[in-house]
Amino acid sequence: MTHIQITKKERAELAKVFSGLKGKKLPSVLQKLVEVLTEDQSHDSELVIDKSPDEIINPNEAAELLNVSRPFLMKLVKDGKLRSFKVGTHHRLKRKEVLEYKKIFQEQNSQNYPKLNKSLKKLIDEEGWDA
């Protein structure tokens, strides 16, 4: 799997290049790329190219995908938030499931951020803190 972090500016540049290809007959993988690059550009995004969604990965790779420590990842497994299976004595995870968990986690955080921001602002106002 290849991870590519792109900025708003880079995304806009790529969108210009690919916008001319929108609607043309292209291989499905290129069509998906065109769709992703020409959609809403109001945020930075991570572009993930996954050639093998059923790929099996080890806990270190899964932790890296989630940007967490290995012990935290293993806690997620122990708590049943991520599924793993054992090959001998070693845990293995499906890359697709790890990425699905990451997406759900990011969606939950984006929904909680406005609430947290509002609560923090209220606390600062009530306490008279100088922001």
Side-chain angles (χ1 to χ4, degrees), residues 9-95:
K9 183 179 177 183
E10 291 168 331
R11 188 182 186 105
E13 291 170 0
L14 287 169
K16 285 178 189 175
V17 171
F18 280 92
S19 63
L21 298 174
K22 202 169 188 176
K24 299 210 176 186
K25 187 165 175 75
L26 299 169
S28 63
V29 68
L30 283 178
Q31 187 62 43
K32 288 177 186 176
L33 189 58
V34 168
E35 289 170 13
V36 167
L37 292 173
T38 56
E39 68 184 14
D40 177 29
Q41 300 173 29
S42 63
H43 61 282
D44 290 343
S45 61
E46 183 176 27
L47 177 61
V48 178
I49 301 170
D50 189 355
K51 296 178 183 174
S52 54
D54 293 333
E55 182 180 353
I56 305 301
I57 58 175
N58 65 43
N60 291 333
E61 293 167 321
E64 187 177 322
L65 279 176
L66 295 176
N67 199 25
V68 298
S69 67
R70 186 182 187 286
F72 184 79
L73 176 98
M74 295 312 295
K75 184 177 183 323
L76 292 174
V77 168
K78 181 181 175 192
D79 293 346
K81 294 180 180 176
L82 269 176
R83 290 187 331 157
S84 75
F85 58 95
K86 285 193 168 186
V87 176
T89 59
H90 303 283
H91 284 272
R92 296 292 181 256
L93 300 96
K94 290 185 178 180
R95 181 184 300 271

